[in-house]
Amino acid sequence: MRRKDREITDFSKTISIIDACDCCRLGLVDINEAYIVPMNFGYDIIDNQIILYFHCAKEGRKIDLLPGQSVVSFEMDTKHQLVGGKLGCDFTFLFQSVMGTGTLEEVSEKDEKIYGLQRIMAHYTDNSRWEFDERALNMTKILKLSVSTFSCKEH
C-alpha cells in the first residue's frame, strides 16, 4: 500500500468497515478483459478468516467465468464524503475501503446455501434467522469467497 498512513491493520476495525459497506464488487478475468460486478453480500469470520457470501442467478457471465478463475478480486467501500477547498486541487474525498483476493466456489449443499443466505440477510437486516422458499433456493446460486489476502484503507 502506497499510503501507509491510511492503512488500517486492526482486524476488528476492518470488520466494522465491512459491516458498513452495502455492496461488494467482484473482479473476474474474461480472457484478457477485466469483468467487475457489484453484488449484495454477507460475511462470516471463521478462525480469523473472512468468508464472503453472494447470491445470484444460476446463469450469466460471472457464472460462465467461474471455472476459469483460480483467484478472484473483491472491493467494497463506504463513508464517502467530499471535502472542499479554495482551489480545485485542495479538494479531497474521504472514504473507507477493503479490497483483496480469494478463491470463489459455488455452494451446493442445501444447509450451507441456507447459511450463506442467512449471512447475507443478517448483513442487511437485524435478523439472521430467515426461512427460504424451496423454489427460491433451487433457483438461486450461492457463491462463497474465502479471502486469502486483504488490505483496508481509510482517509
Side-chain angles (χ1 to χ4, degrees):
M1 181 175 297
R2 184 179 66 82
R3 293 290 308 260
K4 290 291 187 188
D5 60 317
R6 296 182 181 172
E7 182 179 25
I8 304 293
T9 58
D10 180 78
F11 189 73
S12 61
K13 173 80 174 186
T14 298
I15 299 308
S16 72
I17 291 171
I18 290 172
D19 246 354
C21 292
D22 62 4
C23 177
C24 181
R25 292 160 199 84
L26 282 181
L28 308 167
V29 176
D30 188 354
I31 304 174
N32 57 355
E33 176 183 287
Y35 179 64
I36 302 167
V37 59
M39 311 257 323
N40 295 112
F41 75 100
Y43 71 93
D44 200 358
I45 309 300
I46 300 172
D47 297 326
N48 284 329
Q49 182 184 20
I50 302 166
I51 307 292
L52 301 175
Y53 292 95
F54 308 94
H55 71 91
C56 59
K58 288 191 165 193
E59 56 188 38
R61 187 174 179 188
K62 69 181 158 298
I63 300 307
D64 293 343
L65 293 174
L66 280 182
Q69 309 293 308
S70 58
V71 175
V72 300
S73 298
F74 73 92
E75 187 277 341
M76 57 184 82
D77 50 75
T78 189
K79 305 282 185 182
H80 308 115
Q81 181 183 347
L82 181 66
V83 178
K86 292 184 181 192
L87 300 173
C89 293
D90 294 337
F91 277 68
T92 191
F93 199 74
L94 305 181
F95 67 92
Q96 295 175 321
S97 67
V98 180
M99 55 191 296
T101 61
T103 55
L104 189 63
E105 63 184 300
E106 178 185 347
V107 173
S108 55
E109 200 271 324
K110 181 182 175 181
D111 287 342
E112 191 176 7
K113 281 180 77 169
I114 291 170
Y115 182 77
L117 284 168
Q118 287 175 339
R119 298 310 308 148
I120 293 167
M121 292 301 296
H123 184 70
Y124 295 101
T125 70
D126 292 332
N127 185 0
S128 63
R129 303 298 302 165
W130 291 90
E131 291 184 25
F132 302 96
D133 182 86
E134 192 73 32
R135 287 175 295 142
L137 276 177
N138 292 332
M139 294 179 357
T140 303
K141 193 172 281 282
I142 302 300
L143 304 177
K144 176 182 173 180
L145 194 159
S146 300
V147 175
S148 52
T149 67
F150 68 92
S151 62
C152 185
K153 189 174 179 181
E154 177 176 51
H155 174 59

